[in-house]
Amino acid sequence: MAGWTRHDGLAVALPLENIDTDQLIPARFMSTPRSAGYGGFLLHDLRRDRDGRLDPDFPLNRPEAAGASILIAGRNFGAGSSREAAVYALVDAGFRVVIAPSFGDIFAANAVNNGLLPAPLSAERIAPLLARGPVRLLVDLATGSIAGDGVSERFALDPVWTQKLICGWDDIDLTRSCADAIATFAERRRAEAPWVWSQAS
Amino acid sequence: MTVSRRPADKRTFFDKLWDLHRILTRDDGATLLWVDRHFIHEGSHHAFANLAARNLPVAHPELTFGVADHYVPTRPDAVPTDSIARMILTLSENTARYGITLFGRGDPRQGIVHVVGPEQGLTLPGLLVVCGDSHTATHGALGAYAFGIGATEVAHVLATQTIWQKKPKQMRLVVDGRLMPGIGAKDVALNWISRLGADGARGHVVEYDGTAIRGLTVEGRLTLCNLSIEGGARSGLIAPDETTLNWIKGRPFAPTGSDWERAAEGFLALAGDDDAGFDREVRLTADEIAPIVTWGTSPEEALPITATLPDPAREPDPAKASRIAASLDYMGLTPGRSLEGIEIDQIFIGSCTNARIEDLRSAAAVLAGRRSKVPGLVSPGSTLVKSQAEQEGLDRIFMDAGLEWVGSGCSMCVGMNGDLVAPGKRCASTTNRNFRGRQGQGARTHLVSPAMAAAAAVTGTLTDVRKLLRGRC
């Protein structure tokens, strides 16, 4: 995964709370191989009618939102399941940043693992942004800032997550460098709690 | 709500669990934790693809257990679609390739991962348990630190048997008093979520305590911890006690003989020190809790069955008013009307929240000798629960009431196996999520306890189960 420090893109507002992972990608699409691309499934049932036609009034479907890569939404974005497919749908649709007052914990961790920034900004600070049409924003991970077109905001991200996003780090490689500490720990754990390894009786 | 100090020399139950699994902590606070138990299901295919692409082995296949649940057809005559069959087959192939034990389709131990783990004694106090499923919080009921992870993290656990975490904050949720007849763990959970919000416990581990919690059976505790994620917490916890030990002893993978004696002593010693403080504390009184039902599209949109629907016109906050209006619109409900009496089209009893033997017994207690006015599906949480229910004659009660008695799996909770609620139809459901489209595109879900689902079946409407229990318990 490639890291990034600054992202300059079009931000589109989706003024809804509790956008859960079932809405981000309905379960019926999840047996699709990732190689097919998940972007078309993003918010499928909100964006489309029963016959699959795009709702022209939905914020993401409007012509002025074309090419948007930053999403601004209400509180508790990504609540619900651990399905990383919710993040794949956003990433495959071209999104690099989601700005919201709060995120589902698992969603936020999944986002960082896929180079998608979950930027927290208070509901009060977000309200004027949600009321605006698409706006061009510059998001800077190193300084934790969001700027552009009369907007100047700061967000605070866990420093570990900031570093992961900037470096595009892969945790598996990082952890394998701790192999000795893990092996020592596993030996001790096995001595102290052998029943963890017990087989069915 | 109170915020208490956290004395450095006193440790909570969670502090002890954390310390037991801490391998190392980096300067930035990221901690590498040892994983004792990794459960996987059909959704693991992304993680196995990642592993295969890197040509990495599974570090500890003996600590990894596979269960087919999300895509498993539950109706005996169901013919799975190609994509559903492929998902189940892929899990079989991946577990076989890496030497991982699988409770697959046709195995007498098969069921929903969060029912099977505890049932088999794979979930034990003091363990760190992860699974690529948000309801992994369930296992905390037995005193394990258990939480859901995403596909990238599943690949990481497969490759290293560890996971990076930052230590979460701790919230204690105390429920004192006695639950009234007809009120169960589901009502306790929806009660606190409706009060604190669907993100109310975000960033926290929730430890449940108090006389009402101690009085719950393990089945009830599993339901309560299961729903912790719906209040924003990734983990729920209940410190092990005699109830926990009695429930675990003798299960297939539980320790035996001298190992059991040693383990049991250690399990009880995990309880938090007296005076260990929490970051937050919330208290509820059990006897004030009524049967609760969700009316909207988030688990926080829940009210006692005796209440009336909210009216957006009376809500001063415009954002909240528009959220209420949108939820009522999706649910096809009018503001101000009584929850009781709302007509339903079908019921579902099942899921990792409410498909254990006691859940089935509580639904059967309401249904015995009665007919359901609407169609419904009853799916036990595991094949073993199914056998036990049949030995107790519960299957006859459900079928005599006109309900379908089917196999175990996630079924109509998430509909991945094809068990769906049709667009616009209203379902009283014992599941965990009333999200838009969760049970099918356009489906309308009311979350309720098993007893309340049974009551809804009997009357064809949302009903206060206490009325149907008179003279029965």
Side-chain angles (χ1 to χ4, degrees), chain A residues 101-124:
Chain A
S102 61
F103 297 88
D105 281 342
I106 309 179
F107 172 86
N110 289 341
V112 171
N113 281 329
N114 288 275
L116 176 73
L117 164 67
L121 204 59
S122 74
E124 294 73 34

Side-chain angles (χ1 to χ4, degrees), chain B residues 56-327:
Chain B
L56 286 174
V58 171
H60 287 274
E62 81 283 12
L63 300 179
T64 313
F65 292 83
V67 184
D69 57 8
H70 281 68
Y71 288 87
V72 171
T74 54
R75 289 183 166 106
D77 54 350
V79 180
T81 64
D82 288 351
S83 67
I84 287 174
R86 194 184 65 238
M87 292 296 281
I88 298 167
L89 179 67
T90 303
L91 177 67
S92 300
E93 289 173 348
N94 282 328
T95 49
R97 176 176 173 188
Y98 293 98
I100 294 165
T101 301
L102 172 69
F103 305 133
R105 210 182 166 200
D107 188 307
R109 302 167 296 179
Q110 178 274 340
I112 306 173
V113 59
H114 310 308
V115 177
V116 170
E119 185 174 79
Q120 289 297 319
L122 285 164
T123 305
L124 297 168
L127 266 53
L128 193 153
V129 178
V130 297
C131 173
D133 189 282
S134 60
H135 292 104
T136 306
T138 312
H139 306 260
L142 292 166
Y145 176 31
F147 53 94
I149 56 177
T152 301
E153 292 170 320
V154 170
H156 184 275
V157 178
L158 288 172
T160 68
Q161 201 61 27
T162 64
I163 189 153
W164 289 99
Q165 292 284 292
K166 272 208 159 177
K167 194 172 180 184
K169 289 185 194 160
Q170 300 182 54
M171 177 171 130
R172 185 157 78 140
L173 203 149
V174 181
V175 190
D176 278 322
R178 216 173 119 245
L179 291 170
M180 296 287 134
I183 315 296
K186 180 72 156 281
D187 303 302
V188 177
L190 289 176
N191 188 292
W192 83 253
I193 295 164
S194 68
R195 286 181 192 214
L196 300 188
D199 56 353
R202 195 171 45 80
H204 290 74
V205 164
V206 175
E207 182 177 341
Y208 298 95
D209 205 352
T211 51
I213 303 297
R214 292 284 146 211
L216 286 175
T217 61
V218 168
E219 274 84 354
R221 296 176 182 190
L222 288 160
T223 298
L224 183 63
C225 287
N226 171 277
L227 288 161
S228 303
I229 182 77
E230 307 309 331
R234 282 179 76 179
S235 309
L237 287 173
I238 297 176
D241 56 14
E242 290 296 335
T243 304
T244 322
L245 299 190
N246 291 337
W247 196 87
I248 291 169
K249 193 177 182 184
R251 292 187 181 269
F253 287 86
T256 53
S258 60
D259 257 1
W260 170 258
E261 302 304 326
R262 185 175 150 209
E265 196 182 321
F267 294 163
L268 293 176
L270 288 168
D273 298 335
D274 291 341
D275 307 326
F278 290 80
D279 299 294
R280 280 175 80 186
E281 185 157 306
V282 175
R283 289 185 169 266
L284 299 177
T285 306
D287 51 10
E288 289 172 2
I289 298 173
I292 199 159
V293 49
T294 62
W295 54 267
T297 58
S298 161
E300 72 186 17
E301 294 177 330
L303 284 166
I305 182 68
T306 49
T308 53
L309 289 168
D311 186 346
R314 294 180 175 207
E315 174 53 55
D317 175 358
K320 204 171 166 195
S322 93
R323 195 188 79 208
I324 294 169
S327 290

Side-chain angles (χ1 to χ4, degrees), chain A residues 17-18 20 22 31 75 80 82 84 102-103 105 110 158 170 175-176 185 189 191-192 196-198 201, chain B residues 34 36-37 54 56 62 86 132 150-152 156 164 166 199 202-203 252-253 262 300 323 433 438:
Chain A
E17 294 182 351
N18 291 325
D20 54 69
D22 278 88
S31 59
R75 80 174 172 103
S82 65
E84 203 161 297
S102 61
F103 297 88
D105 281 342
N110 289 341
D158 181 317
D170 188 293
T175 308
R176 280 158 61 85
F185 184 94
R189 181 79 180 135
E192 286 173 357
V196 176
W197 278 261
S198 70
S201 55
Chain B
W34 171 257
D36 293 311
R37 202 66 82 217
R54 295 155 169 272
L56 286 174
E62 81 283 12
R86 194 184 65 238
T152 301
H156 184 275
W164 289 99
K166 272 208 159 177
D199 56 353
R202 195 171 45 80
F253 287 86
R262 185 175 150 209
E300 72 186 17
R323 195 188 79 208
R433 291 192 171 132
R438 167 82 174 178

Side-chain angles (χ1 to χ4, degrees), chain B residues 468-473:
Chain B
L468 295 175
L469 284 172
R470 280 182 197 134
R472 289 201 171 206
C473 68

